[in-house]
């Protein structure tokens, strides 16, 4: 009888989750410790389960499917930039229960389009930066769900399952990737309802940056954990920061389904090699905004040199259990483990 009750309770619990559309990946709220499933449209979940599985994922590698992703993204971009898209904003805010008091402008009528709303700004002070004057502490780069691993091998084995995933593949440069060949990896996943501007995890000097064209696969964990090399296939922008505390730190902003643009700040792109402007040393502060994503879900990978960061234990523990931690930009994620150079 006890077993029967357990089965019924399990069924009722899952029926309630489906009713509330909480059918996404299991996440843990870092502030409260509560375990929840991410809210997601049911049809989107069904499509991902259909496409990203060992039987049918060959479809994802076809030229026709990749062409479809590009067309869908281009169409979404133009649609969300249309002033008529303003009509979607209130329903979107209500559905995801977004607290607009944290953003400016907070008045929904102030946004010219859904795209304008999507790249909204936080109010100053809404996301305090952990230990802003201590460069030995790294912080979260976005409002998102994240996992951390001490090595690329662990990240590949447990989370980023793409068949050929590596840092060299991610930035398409074997030489430049050497500092992080098996370094520590933090993976940040943004959902459509999140604040979509991203910030630097550390203070450092910009050494280089690059843009990489690509596809627009979804970055949901179902897709990331498939054999498709999603992160290294999608359009992305990368830059390297040189720091005293962590060595060289790699930041890769990765587009995804319906993301029209991955934009780095002009401050970073001002160091473009070969630019006609005088080359200047550009320092990025910890927590400083370094770019934004346009409409859709998206992802960020930050890599540290081996042995240069000790991630916070609560992040490591959840990541080992394949649970994403729901975090906010500016929260501490780890600290340096090597002396200053």
């Amino acid at each position: 009888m006890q077993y029967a009750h357990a089965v019924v309770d399990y069924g009722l619990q899952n029926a309630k989750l489906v009713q509330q559309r909480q059918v996404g990946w299991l996440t843990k709220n870092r502030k409260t410790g509560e375990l929840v499933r991410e809210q997601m449209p049911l049809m989107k979940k069904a499509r991902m389960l259909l496409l990203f599985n060992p039987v049918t994922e060959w479809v994802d590698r076809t030229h026709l499917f990749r062409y479809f992703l590009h067309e869908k993204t281009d169409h979404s971009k133009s649609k969300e930039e249309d002033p008529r898209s303003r009509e979607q904003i209130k329903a979107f805010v209500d559905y995801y229960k977004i607290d607009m008091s944290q953003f400016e402008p907070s008045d929904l009528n102030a946004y010219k389009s859904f795209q304008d709303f999507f790249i909204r700004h936080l109010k100053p002070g809404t996301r305090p930066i952990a230990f802003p004057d201590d460069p030995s502490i790294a912080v979260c780069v976005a409002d998102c769900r994240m996992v951390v691993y001490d090595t690329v091998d662990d990240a590949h084995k447990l989370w980023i399952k793409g068949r050929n995933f590596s840092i060299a593949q991610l930035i398409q440069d074997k030489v430049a990737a050497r500092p992080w060949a098996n370094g520590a990896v933090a993976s940040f996943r943004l959902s459509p309802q999140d604040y979509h501007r991203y910030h630097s995890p550390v203070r450092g000097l910009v050494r280089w940056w690059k843009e990489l064209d690509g596809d627009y696969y979804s970055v949901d964990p179902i897709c990331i954990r498939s054999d498709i090399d999603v992160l290294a296939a999608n359009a992305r922008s990368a830059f390297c920061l040189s720091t005293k505390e962590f060595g060289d730190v790699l930041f890769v902003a990765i587009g995804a389904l319906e993301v029209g643009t991955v934009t780095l700040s002009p401050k970073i792109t001002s160091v473009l090699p070969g630019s006609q402007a005088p080359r200047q040393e550009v320092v990025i502060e910890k927590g400083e905004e370094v770019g934004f994503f346009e409409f859709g879900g998206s992802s960020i990978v930050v890599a540290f040199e081996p042995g240069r960061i000790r991630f916070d234990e609560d992040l490591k523990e959840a990541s080992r259990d394949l649970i994403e931690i729901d975090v906010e930009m500016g929260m501490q994620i780890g600290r340096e483990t090597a002396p200053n150079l």
Side-chain angles (χ1 to χ4, degrees):
M1 181 63 71
Q2 184 178 359
Y3 177 75
H5 275 295
V7 171
V8 172
D9 287 344
Y10 180 79
L12 291 173
Q13 181 183 15
N14 282 276
K16 184 177 180 181
L17 290 177
V18 170
Q19 185 180 25
Q20 296 173 344
R21 299 183 181 180
Q22 290 178 303
V23 295
W25 201 260
L26 186 65
T27 66
K28 183 177 183 180
N29 187 299
R30 196 180 194 188
K31 286 183 174 180
T32 66
E34 180 185 10
L35 287 170
V36 295
R37 287 200 174 272
E38 187 179 7
Q39 195 172 4
M40 174 186 293
L42 295 176
M43 287 305 297
K44 180 179 179 180
K45 176 78 170 186
R47 285 196 301 268
M48 286 189 294
L49 289 172
L50 178 63
L51 283 170
F52 291 89
N53 67 77
V55 177
T56 62
E57 66 183 20
W58 63 270
V59 175
D60 306 322
R61 296 188 177 92
T62 64
H63 175 77
L64 182 62
F65 185 75
R66 295 197 301 272
Y67 176 79
F68 166 76
L69 294 179
H70 275 283
E71 288 297 298
K72 183 176 177 64
T73 296
D74 289 343
H75 175 71
S76 295
K77 178 179 172 65
S78 60
K79 185 175 73 171
E80 305 309 341
E81 289 177 338
D82 190 313
R84 290 173 295 182
S85 65
R86 295 175 57 190
E87 298 173 2
Q88 306 172 41
I89 298 176
K90 186 179 186 307
F92 187 89
V93 169
D94 291 343
Y95 179 80
Y96 286 110
K97 298 179 176 62
I98 298 173
D99 181 4
M100 289 303 297
S101 68
Q102 299 182 4
F103 301 95
E104 57 179 13
S106 57
D107 180 6
L108 300 183
N109 295 318
Y111 294 98
K112 300 175 183 178
S113 66
F114 190 88
Q115 183 68 274
D116 189 33
F117 159 77
F118 190 77
I119 57 174
R120 59 195 179 275
H121 290 269
L122 285 167
K123 281 186 178 178
T126 304
R127 299 287 186 271
I129 305 302
F131 303 97
D133 299 323
D134 186 348
S136 69
I137 291 176
V139 299
C140 183
V141 302
D143 286 6
C144 61
R145 285 134 294 281
M146 70 175 296
V147 291
V148 298
Y149 296 101
D150 288 333
T151 66
V152 171
D153 287 345
D154 284 345
H156 191 196
K157 179 172 66 177
L158 294 172
W159 190 254
I160 306 173
K161 294 287 191 172
R163 183 176 297 176
N164 301 306
F165 175 76
S166 68
I167 300 299
Q169 184 197 39
L170 187 63
I171 63 173
Q172 293 185 4
D173 191 325
K174 292 182 179 179
V175 175
R178 285 174 184 169
W180 313 286
N182 200 26
V185 173
S187 179
F188 308 85
R189 180 176 65 86
L190 290 72
S191 292
Q193 69 270 22
D194 290 325
Y195 162 71
H196 263 68
R197 293 178 180 270
Y198 43 86
H199 299 249
S200 179
V202 295
R203 183 184 190 275
L205 180 71
V206 180
R207 290 191 58 195
W208 54 261
W209 73 277
K210 66 189 301 186
E211 290 181 340
L212 297 157
D213 194 15
D215 298 314
Y216 296 95
Y217 290 104
S218 170
V219 292
D220 185 88
I222 290 175
C223 313
I224 296 296
R225 292 173 52 74
S226 74
D227 274 350
I228 305 297
D229 291 306
V230 169
L231 298 184
N234 283 5
R236 54 208 183 276
S237 295
F239 64 90
C240 170
L241 292 179
S242 180
T243 78
K244 293 181 179 180
E245 294 75 25
F246 299 96
D248 284 348
V249 177
L250 175 68
F251 187 111
V252 187
I254 304 163
L257 187 64
E258 297 181 331
V259 171
T261 307
V262 181
T263 302
L264 293 180
S265 74
K267 186 173 178 179
I268 289 176
T269 58
S270 69
V271 302
L272 177 65
S275 170
Q276 298 302 310
R279 183 70 179 269
Q280 297 180 351
E281 289 193 347
V282 173
V283 174
I284 301 295
E285 299 297 334
K286 181 171 71 173
E288 182 177 347
E289 183 184 318
V290 290
F292 62 87
F293 295 109
E294 292 189 350
F295 180 69
S298 29
S299 186
I300 296 164
V301 170
V302 175
F304 297 85
E305 293 185 27
R308 298 303 297 268
I309 188 171
R310 182 173 68 252
F311 289 123
D312 291 352
E313 194 56 41
D314 65 321
L315 301 178
K316 294 176 63 174
E317 181 179 352
S319 301
R320 285 193 295 265
D321 293 335
L322 305 182
I323 297 173
E324 292 181 305
I325 294 285
D326 197 337
V327 292
E328 292 181 348
M329 190 278 291
M331 287 182 171
Q332 176 179 320
I333 64 170
R335 61 177 61 240
E336 67 159 323
T337 55
N340 293 352
L341 299 178

